[in-house]
């Protein structure tokens, strides 16, 4: 079976500090990977997606970047966090062979102070 | 970008009642999905709809993909306390690896 992991689960960071969130998927190969952000009480906003190693598509201009150094690893980063970067960050995966159904990880709660 | 209008924003119901929520869009979606999210957790897929007009059930849940491809509804019959949470509709406008567009969610609260 497939599982998706995210860490850390929670993070409190000062404004201007760097960020690195990690997502890994087990039990499948060459998944499509996604990063979403969810503001408090709001829906999910797609930030980045990747169809393969080193391939990143950005959906919205922002202070964040993403990288995919390995097939089943997806990293969300920032050089300098802003207050507005606070939120719940969710990683998701889909089968590469088709079907848009996305499976979500447990999320990372980021608070920027 | 595309937007999904999800309603109602919140629902306060009695245990045992049926629930209905829906999503509409000004543009066509090729796939509709319904998720449930518990506090502090990632969304969990409830039902996926891939064809216009499709009606699919999952236990007490029933969802339909509108004929126009611009809407979908989710019904929950005989609600129970564990149904509490936030329900999201999501759609994918095209094929391929494009991510999903999400509605803003319906917060379901069940009063004993």
């Amino acid at each position: 079976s497939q599982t998706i992991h995210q860490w850390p689960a929670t993070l409190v960071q000062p404004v201007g500090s760097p960020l690195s969130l990690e997502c890994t998927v087990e039990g499948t190969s060459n998944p499509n990977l996604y990063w979403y952000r969810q503001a408090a009480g709001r829906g999910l906003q797609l930030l980045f997606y990747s169809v393969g190693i080193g391939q990143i598509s950005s959906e919205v201009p922002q202070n964040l970047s993403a990288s995919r150094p390995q097939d089943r690893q997806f990293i969300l980063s920032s050089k300098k966090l802003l207050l507005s970067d606070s939120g719940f960050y969710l990683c998701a995966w889909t089968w590469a062979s088709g079907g848009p159904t996305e499976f979500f990880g447990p999320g990372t709660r980021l608070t920027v102070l | 970008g595309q937007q999904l209008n999800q309603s109602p924003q919140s629902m306060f119901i009695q245990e045992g009642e049926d629930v209905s929520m829906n999503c509409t869009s000004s543009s066509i979606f090729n796939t509709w999905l319904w998720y449930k999210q518990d506090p502090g957790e990632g969304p969990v897929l409830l039902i996926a709809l891939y064809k216009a007009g499709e009606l699919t059930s999952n236990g007490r849940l029933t969802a339909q993909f509108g004929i126009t491809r611009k809407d979908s509804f989710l019904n929950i019959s005989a609600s129970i306390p564990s149904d509490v949470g936030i329900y999201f509709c999501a759609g994918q406008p095209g094929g391929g690896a494009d991510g999903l567009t999400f509605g803003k969610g319906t917060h379901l609260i069940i009063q004993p």
Side-chain angles (χ1 to χ4, degrees):
Chain A
S1 63
Q2 299 77 34
T3 55
I4 179 169
H5 304 278
Q6 287 185 244
W7 61 88
T10 60
L11 190 60
V12 180
Q13 291 283 99
V15 169
S17 64
L19 172 74
S20 181
L21 303 181
E22 189 166 346
C23 170
T24 58
V25 179
E26 296 177 356
T28 186
S29 297
N30 195 31
N32 297 326
L33 296 171
Y34 305 83
W35 278 113
Y36 288 86
R37 176 169 58 204
Q38 185 177 30
R42 305 289 294 276
L44 282 71
Q45 179 187 34
L46 178 65
L47 301 177
F48 302 95
Y49 70 91
S50 171
V51 300
I53 296 174
Q55 300 179 61
I56 307 294
S57 297
S58 175
E59 288 295 302
V60 293
Q62 59 208 310
N63 183 43
L64 302 168
S65 62
S67 61
R68 186 168 177 176
Q70 300 180 43
D71 180 44
R72 290 168 288 183
Q73 184 185 32
F74 205 22
I75 296 173
L76 185 68
S77 304
S78 174
K79 293 182 179 178
K80 288 186 177 182
L81 283 169
L82 306 172
L83 286 175
S84 58
D85 291 325
S86 293
F88 192 44
Y89 288 83
L90 290 154
C91 182
W93 71 274
T94 67
W95 302 100
S97 57
T101 308
E102 294 185 13
F103 302 96
F104 285 84
T108 294
R109 174 74 60 192
L110 172 65
T111 303
V112 182
L113 302 175
Chain B
Q2 296 181 324
Q3 292 184 337
L4 293 181
N5 299 309
Q6 185 172 350
S7 63
Q9 185 175 11
S10 59
M11 300 183 71
F12 295 81
I13 64 168
Q14 299 285 337
E15 183 178 349
E17 288 185 20
D18 296 342
V19 173
S20 184
M21 60 191 79
N22 68 85
C23 272
T24 61
S25 171
S26 58
S27 55
I28 290 174
F29 283 84
N30 286 330
T31 302
W32 285 90
L33 305 167
W34 285 93
Y35 289 86
K36 178 176 183 274
Q37 185 178 29
D38 292 328
E41 298 182 10
V44 174
L45 181 68
L46 299 175
I47 293 179
L49 303 161
Y50 300 107
K51 291 174 57 177
E54 180 181 355
L55 182 70
T56 298
S57 293
N58 178 9
R60 294 179 295 107
L61 278 61
T62 302
Q64 184 159 31
F65 191 151
I67 288 291
T68 64
R69 296 187 174 188
K70 294 183 178 181
D71 63 299
S72 177
F73 71 75
L74 174 70
N75 289 341
I76 305 173
S77 62
S79 59
I80 60 177
S82 62
D83 291 334
V84 166
I86 302 177
Y87 292 78
F88 290 99
C89 63
Q92 190 189 55
D98 294 350
L100 300 174
T101 298
F102 279 80
K104 293 187 176 180
T106 294
H107 192 179
L108 180 60
I109 299 166
I110 298 177
Q111 299 166 329

